[in-house]
């Protein structure tokens, strides 16, 4: 009985490990949730016949690629957050790519001048506001969140989540460390509950009356409002209005997902081709439609749910400057005890 | 021959220590510049939260585990046979899955609070709400409710074997059942309870998924955040090593405190005490005591998952990749279990035949259980890659071909990580199982011409089979639930049920992972049922040893 079980397990294992032969392959290591990039990679595989292999490594992608060294099978390193992407490049894990297609499609602000990393899609850090508080939140700035009028009314996920460290790093880049620290203390004093859960929990907690304003990513609104996540979440989305906050005298904070070609990529040409596909009109349309992200390509259409948030003005603080302040942002969160 | 077992024992230890070395290598690269910040702002808070969590979970698992074990061992009540195994069900429920389920169930918009509001006549959650589950208290209750079976399992085995004669002494001296429990049964069971509680506390300490989700910042969570947010894998390795040193010291201290109790626990018993009859009120109380933990640790979250899974399947169909993921989970958990049991047996048996010289190897083999899964995984990256690249270098030099990465990013690396992470379970259980077999059997077999290996196969393995089986099943369930090491080390295009659930949870749509989460629970049920059956059989065997006494009337 045991022997038969083991034999069966071994056979299963062999079939799991055996790779079918394809004309071309490209290996993607990604910190993006698999569900978000699968539609894109499936579309590419269907179109070109290239087999796209993926592994979702949420934490430790850099360590894994660095340890694998010269023999690493990774071709593309894809991240959900530009800060992590710039880190990968700073650690020497990427390589320079020259592609007029990429340079033509991606605005200069969203790619590395040295050609080592490329932004592929965008999401904004927005405010979900309870319907009855929508009037009070008109013209909301990120700085306003520390205003005592929101006392006991603000919900947010852990300050140490990359989406929040990126926002806080942007504020350090704009307003300086001290002003940001004071702001964080103000926001902490306004929290309705301990920072926990995910962005959608903010909308859910507004629906439950726990808070009046919650900070969350733009695409979750698309996922909830469209009904793609079931009728229950549609109810949460119905409880909120989306406000696009700006920095004082600035714009709305956007986080960029992107990719780099790995330093030791065994299939570099395939990797570049895949990146070029990801900024094509078709792929940028999938980003917008399937994921409710903003395309990086100028002129690519935005999903109507997102367009309904109102006119978007992206903050112009350079991504590299924001990235430089990420460690400081993480330190500030500790210093003010934001998460505790 | 004896030397062979010694070498095998140290081999197992070396495999288990490789990630610690990898970790030390990483830690040594750090400058320590982060420490002033960590000392001022991170570690004191994290240490406080960790201590509170462990004290709380320790209290909950001890009370619930011992209480239920004593109830099913000492009293006769309707459903006792059912509860005997049902109390193990929470083992099949990963803590992170239970956390997602309870966040839904107990949310102000969820069924529990909606029902309460309806009962109490409130119309909106703004008027009435319960405290948030996303808190320290919530985390303690949740981990306690899913981890108490470790204590229940060890305590019940001990209570079941306590001899009637010992338990009758306090009763003949006029003590009531409660007093008899506290003065005799409980102190005698203390070593077993300590073992179970230690297992539960290690699991609680190394949990990241549930704690992080519930907003509790333990030391383990701070290892994560130091690595990912403070961008310092070296600092994270340093914290992890410090934690490991603390845990090892605590375990050593506990062992030292128990050093004199060995003879007590191995005292042979005569006939077993038979359960007492109770009045209707007592019976109802027993049912309530046993039903509550099963409901909280398994029933409620499993039902919620089943409901969510049903709704998902009806709306979106069966996830097409589910069966492949289940097959992956099952295959990898099976292979890792086989390897862990073999290595655990080697390490434990080395102590049996070689004595003290092999003991350090047995202790070292269990080190992975004292580390969070992700720390084991990060620690393994460097040794695995160093091995691969060395083999590759040699092959290029001597044969002119590249072997590429043999272990890194392969299924073998994943199985290796599982084995290191959970080797303590078979090593400890088999050591304990072997300790019950009198050495006179070894001597007899040896004098009849058996080699130590022959004795192992013909005498010890069959006699220790229940211990080996129980350990194998626990390892299997743990591997099925394992998440962080799987995420980091797995091959391309490889998903398990656990990574599927996590992938959905990572983008905030945990309800989409309900089907896969339910599948983890269901696959985990079979081994749990087997553990229950095996431990039930052990109890029957004990009863059979003295049928006449067992049938004897209960002393009044």
């Amino acid at each position: 009985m045991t022997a038969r079980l083991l034999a069966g397990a071994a056979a299963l294992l062999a079939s799991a490990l055996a790779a079918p032969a394809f004309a071309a392959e490209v290996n993607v290591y990604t910190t993006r949730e698999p569900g978000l990039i699968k539609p894109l990679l499936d579309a590419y595989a269907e179109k070109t016949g290239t087999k796209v292999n993926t592994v979702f490594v949420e934490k430790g992608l850099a360590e894994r690629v660095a340890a694998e060294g010269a023999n690493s099978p990774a071709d593309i390193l894809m991240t959900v957050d530009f800060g992590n992407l710039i880190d990968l490049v700073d650690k020497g894990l990427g390589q320079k790519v020259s592609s007029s297609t990429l340079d033509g499609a991606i605005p200069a602000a969203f790619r590395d001048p040295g050609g080592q990393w490329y932004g592929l899609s965008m999401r904004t850090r927005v405010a979900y506001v309870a319907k009855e508080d929508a009037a009070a939140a008109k013209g909301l700035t990120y700085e306003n969140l520390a205003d005592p009028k929101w006392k006991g009314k603000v919900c947010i996920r852990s300050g140490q989540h990359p989406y929040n460290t990126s926002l806080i790093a942007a504020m350090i880049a704009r307003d300086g460390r001290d002003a940001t620290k004071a702001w964080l203390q103000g926001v902490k004093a306004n929290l309705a509950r301990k920072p926990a859960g995910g962005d959608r929990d903010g909308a859910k907690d507004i629906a439950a009356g726990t808070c009046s304003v919650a900070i969350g990513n733009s695409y979750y609104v698309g996922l909830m409002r469209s009904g793609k996540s079931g009728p229950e979440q549609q109810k949460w989305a119905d409880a909120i209005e989306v406000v696009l906050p700006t920095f004082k005298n600035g714009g709305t904070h956007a986080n960029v997902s992107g990719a780099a070609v790995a330093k030791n990529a065994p299939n570099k040409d395939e990797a570049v081709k895949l990146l070029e596909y990801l900024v094509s009109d078709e792929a940028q349309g999938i980003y917008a439609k399937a994921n409710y992200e903003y395309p990086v390509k100028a002129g690519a259409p935005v999903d109507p749910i997102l367009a309904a948030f109102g006119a978007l003005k992206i903050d112009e603080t350079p991504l590299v400057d924001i990235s430089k302040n990420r460690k400081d942002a993480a330190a500030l969160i500790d210093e003010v005890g934001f998460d505790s | 021959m004896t030397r062979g077992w010694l070498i095998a024992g140290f081999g197992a230890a070396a495999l288990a220590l490789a990630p610690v070395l990898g970790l030390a290598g990483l830690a040594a690269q750090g400058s320590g510049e982060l420490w002033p910040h960590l000392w001022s702002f991170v570690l004191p808070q994290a240490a406080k939260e960790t201590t509170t969590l462990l004290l709380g979970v320790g209290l909950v698992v001890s009370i619930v585990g011992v209480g239920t074990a004593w109830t099913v061992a000492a009293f006769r009540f309707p459903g006792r046979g059912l509860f005997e195994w049902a109390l193990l069900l929470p083992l099949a429920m990963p803590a992170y899955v239970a956390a997602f389920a309870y966040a839904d169930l107990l949310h102000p918009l969820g069924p529990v609070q909606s029902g309460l509001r309806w009962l109490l006549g409130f119309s909106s959650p703004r008027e009435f709400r319960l405290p948030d589950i996303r808190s320290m208290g919530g985390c303690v209750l949740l981990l306690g409710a899913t981890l108490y079976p470790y204590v229940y399992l060890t305590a019940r085995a001990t209570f079941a074997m306590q001899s009637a004669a010992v338990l009758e002494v306090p009763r003949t001296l006029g003590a009531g059942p409660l007093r008899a429990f506290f003065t005799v049964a409980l102190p005698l069971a203390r070593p077993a309870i300590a073992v179970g509680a230690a297992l539960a506390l290690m699991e609680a300490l190394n949990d990241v998924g549930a704690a992080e989700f519930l907003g509790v910042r333990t030391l383990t969570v701070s290892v994560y955040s130091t690595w990912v947010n403070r961008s310092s894998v070296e600092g994270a390795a340093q914290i992890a090593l410090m934690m490991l040193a603390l845990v090892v010291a605590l375990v050593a201290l506990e062992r030292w405190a128990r050093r004199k109790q060995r003879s007590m626990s191995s005292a042979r018993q005569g006939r077993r005490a038979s359960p007492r009859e109770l009045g209707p009120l007592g019976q109802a109380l027993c049912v309530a005591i046993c039903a509550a933990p099963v409901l909280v640790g398994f029933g409620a979250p499993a039902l919620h998952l089943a409901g969510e899974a049903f709704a998902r399947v009806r709306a979106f169909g069966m996830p097409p990749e589910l069966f492949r993921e289940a097959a992956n989970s099952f295959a990898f958990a099976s292979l890792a279990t086989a390897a862990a049991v073999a290595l655990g047996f080697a390490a434990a048996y080395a102590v049996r035949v070689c004595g003290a010289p092999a003991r350090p190897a047995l202790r070292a083999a269990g080190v992975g259980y004292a580390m969070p899964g992700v720390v084991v995984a990060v620690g393994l990256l460097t040794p695995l890659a160093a091995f691969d690249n060395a083999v590759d270098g040699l092959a290029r030099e001597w044969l002119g071909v590249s072997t590429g990465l043999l272990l890194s990013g392969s299924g073998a690396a994943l199985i290796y990580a599982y084995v290191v992470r959970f080797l303590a379970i078979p090593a400890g259980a088999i050591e304990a199982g072997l300790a019950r077999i009198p050495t006179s059997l070894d001597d007899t077999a040896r004098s009849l011409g058996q080699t130590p290996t022959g004795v192992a196969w013909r005498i010890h393995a069959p006699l220790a089979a229940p211990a080996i089986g129980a350990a194998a099943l626990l390892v299997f369930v743990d591997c099925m639930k394992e998440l962080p090491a799987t995420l980091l080390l797995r091959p391309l295009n490889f998903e398990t049920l656990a990574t599927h659930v996590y992938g959905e949870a990572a983008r905030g749509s945990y309800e989409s992972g309900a089907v896969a989460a339910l599948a983890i629970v269901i696959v985990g049920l079979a081994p749990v049922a087997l553990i229950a059956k095996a431990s039930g059989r052990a109890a029957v065997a004990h009863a059979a040893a003295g049928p006449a006494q067992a049938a004897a009337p209960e002393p009044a």
Side-chain angles (χ1 to χ4, degrees), chain A residues 53-54 56 58 160 205 233, chain B residues 107 229 490 493 502 511:
Chain A
N53 304 307
T54 56
F56 166 55
E58 198 202 19
Q160 292 289 13
D205 286 343
Q233 298 199 4
Chain B
H107 194 271
N229 302 102
R490 65 191 158 141
N493 302 333
Y502 189 75
E511 60 291 330

Side-chain angles (χ1 to χ4, degrees), chain A residues 5-6 9 12-13 15-17 27-29 33-36 51-61 63-64 67-68 71-73 87 130 132 158 160-162 165 193-197 200-201 204-211 220 227-230 232-233 236 326-327 330-331 334-335 339-340, chain B residues 33 37 41-42 45 49 103-104 107-109 125-126 129 132 134 212-217 224-225 227-231 233 308 312 316 324 327-328 330-332 334-335 338 381-382 385 389 392 396 402 404-405 408-409 411 415 487-495 502-503 506-511:
Chain A
L5 266 180
L6 278 180
L12 271 172
L13 185 62
S15 73
L17 296 179
N27 301 323
V28 181
Y29 283 24
E33 306 84 334
L36 287 180
K51 175 159 164 70
V52 186
N53 304 307
T54 56
V55 60
F56 166 55
V57 182
E58 198 202 19
K59 285 158 186 157
L61 189 143
E63 283 77 14
R64 176 162 167 179
E68 288 174 346
N71 285 314
S72 173
D87 268 0
E132 56 269 34
S158 162
Q160 292 289 13
H161 192 277
T165 40
R193 58 157 164 81
K194 249 178 107 165
R200 283 188 225 215
D201 290 292
K204 190 179 180 186
D205 286 343
I206 288 177
T210 307
C211 33
Y220 289 121
K228 276 195 186 171
S229 310
E232 201 192 342
Q233 298 199 4
W236 309 345
R326 270 174 72 241
K327 268 194 179 180
D334 294 336
E335 282 174 33
D339 283 349
S340 50
Chain B
E33 57 165 0
H37 174 80
F41 302 113
V42 181
Q45 177 71 18
E49 299 241 317
D104 263 7
H107 194 271
L109 296 179
R126 285 183 193 237
R129 72 178 68 221
D132 202 333
R134 288 166 298 196
E212 198 179 26
F213 182 74
L214 297 173
V216 174
R217 318 272 157 219
Y224 251 71
S225 60
W227 176 27
V228 178
N229 302 102
R230 300 178 194 102
S231 311
V233 71
E308 289 283 325
R312 299 303 294 178
F316 304 102
R324 161 138 269 197
N328 284 342
F330 187 84
F332 275 68
S334 307
L335 289 173
L381 280 175
T382 325
N389 289 324
D392 184 63
R396 280 173 197 256
S402 166
L405 298 176
S408 303
I415 288 172
L487 273 180
L488 182 55
L489 296 175
R490 65 191 158 141
L492 285 157
N493 302 333
F494 179 86
E495 295 281 346
Y502 189 75
R507 50 174 181 147
S509 49
Y510 14 86
E511 60 291 330

Side-chain angles (χ1 to χ4, degrees), chain B residues 69-474:
Chain B
W70 179 246
T71 305
V72 296
F75 303 106
R76 212 182 284 284
F77 55 93
R80 174 169 168 260
L82 177 77
F83 283 122
E84 242 182 346
W85 66 267
L87 278 162
L88 288 170
L89 286 175
L91 278 180
M93 176 70 63
Y96 53 87
V97 170
F100 297 151
Y102 270 111
D104 263 7
L105 276 172
L106 297 180
H107 194 271
L109 296 179
V112 174
Q113 296 214 43
S114 301
L116 270 177
R117 278 197 305 274
W118 179 78
L119 271 177
L120 301 174
F122 292 108
S123 59
S124 140
R126 285 183 193 237
E127 296 163 24
F128 168 85
R129 72 178 68 221
L130 295 177
D132 202 333
I133 170 93
R134 288 166 298 196
S135 61
M136 173 61 79
C139 194
V140 165
L141 287 179
L142 196 133
L143 288 178
T146 49
L147 294 176
Y148 79 83
Y150 289 99
V151 178
Y152 167 74
L153 198 60
T154 51
R156 192 191 58 161
T158 311
F159 289 143
M161 288 188 304
Q162 279 176 353
S163 103
V166 173
L167 291 180
E168 278 155 14
V169 172
R171 293 216 206 148
T172 53
L173 292 173
L178 266 184
R179 185 134 183 246
F181 168 73
F182 280 111
T183 50
V184 177
L186 186 62
L188 278 177
R190 217 184 82 196
I193 296 166
V195 169
L199 288 177
L201 288 180
M202 295 275 199
E203 298 270 355
L205 177 65
N206 294 331
D207 169 84
V208 178
E212 198 179 26
F213 182 74
L214 297 173
V216 174
R217 318 272 157 219
T218 60
L219 284 166
T220 305
V221 172
S222 71
V223 170
Y224 251 71
S225 60
T226 299
W227 176 27
V228 178
N229 302 102
R230 300 178 194 102
S231 311
S232 171
V233 71
E234 301 83 11
Q238 290 163 352
I239 306 178
L241 281 177
M242 185 190 74
M243 284 175 64
L244 179 62
L246 260 172
V247 173
V248 169
L250 282 176
V251 170
L253 190 72
E254 191 269 343
R255 218 165 240 140
W256 180 81
R258 270 193 301 126
R259 70 198 179 285
K260 288 190 181 143
Q261 291 174 353
R262 281 209 188 102
S263 51
M264 275 163 58
S265 57
S266 61
R268 287 313 289 181
Q269 57 278 325
R271 87 190 146 83
R272 282 194 330 143
S274 46
R276 275 165 64 96
E277 300 291 345
L278 289 170
L281 210 67
Q283 291 189 351
L285 189 66
C286 286
V287 171
I289 287 174
C290 293
V294 180
L295 193 71
V296 175
F298 182 81
L303 268 179
H304 177 68
L305 276 182
E308 289 283 325
F310 180 73
R312 299 303 294 178
V313 171
R314 213 175 46 174
F316 304 102
M318 204 69 174
E321 60 286 355
L322 188 78
F323 291 104
R324 161 138 269 197
E325 291 165 357
N328 284 342
S329 287
F330 187 84
F332 275 68
S334 307
L335 289 173
T337 302
V341 167
L343 284 172
F345 189 85
Y349 201 69
V351 172
R352 175 83 179 188
V353 295
C354 309
R359 201 165 287 280
L362 179 63
R363 296 283 165 261
V367 73
Y369 202 63
M371 296 193 281
V374 71
V375 170
V376 171
V378 173
L380 273 178
L381 280 175
T382 325
L384 287 175
F387 173 85
D388 286 342
N389 289 324
V391 171
D392 184 63
L394 284 177
R396 280 173 197 256
E397 194 173 319
W398 296 95
L399 308 169
V401 294
S402 166
T403 54
L405 298 176
L406 292 172
L407 295 177
S408 303
S410 76
L414 201 52
I415 288 172
Y416 180 16
Y418 288 167
V419 169
V420 171
R421 178 79 179 81
F422 300 120
L423 186 53
I425 298 174
I430 295 170
E431 182 198 15
L434 290 176
R436 294 225 186 101
I437 303 169
T439 44
S440 55
L441 285 183
D442 304 29
D443 302 338
T444 315
R446 291 299 302 276
S447 70
L448 292 172
Q450 285 291 328
T451 62
T453 310
V455 181
W457 273 119
R458 303 222 163 112
I459 311 281
H460 292 134
L463 282 176
I468 297 173
L473 294 165
L474 277 179

Side-chain angles (χ1 to χ4, degrees), chain A residues 8 54 56 94 122 133 135 146 181 238 320:
Chain A
T54 56
F56 166 55
M122 247 183 346
D133 295 300
K181 184 171 178 177
D238 286 345
V320 181

Side-chain angles (χ1 to χ4, degrees), chain A residues 136-151:
Chain A
K138 221 162 180 230
L140 185 79
T141 63
Y142 295 110
E143 286 85 351
N144 283 161
L145 290 170
D147 189 324
K149 84 167 177 184
W150 297 111
K151 192 161 186 67

Side-chain angles (χ1 to χ4, degrees), chain A residues 52-168:
Chain A
V52 186
N53 304 307
T54 56
V55 60
F56 166 55
V57 182
E58 198 202 19
K59 285 158 186 157
L61 189 143
E63 283 77 14
R64 176 162 167 179
V65 178
E68 288 174 346
N71 285 314
S72 173
D75 293 311
I76 290 184
L77 311 176
M78 193 178 270
T79 73
V80 61
D81 166 86
F82 66 89
N84 293 332
L85 188 60
I86 294 175
D87 268 0
L88 289 173
V89 169
D90 286 347
K91 285 182 180 153
L93 298 173
Q95 63 169 293
K96 186 177 157 57
V97 170
S98 0
S99 155
S100 54
T101 312
L102 290 174
D103 292 348
I106 308 170
F110 299 140
R111 60 184 155 84
D112 177 18
Q116 293 219 41
W117 58 264
Y118 293 91
L120 298 171
S121 68
M122 247 183 346
R123 71 294 299 279
T124 49
R125 201 85 184 123
V126 304
Y128 310 158
V129 181
K131 283 250 156 87
E132 56 269 34
D133 295 300
K138 221 162 180 230
L140 185 79
T141 63
Y142 295 110
E143 286 85 351
N144 283 161
L145 290 170
D147 189 324
K149 84 167 177 184
W150 297 111
K151 192 161 186 67
K153 293 182 171 175
V154 178
C155 279
I156 194 164
R157 74 190 307 166
S158 162
Q160 292 289 13
H161 192 277
Y163 297 154
N164 284 337
T165 40
S166 156
L167 172 69
I168 297 161

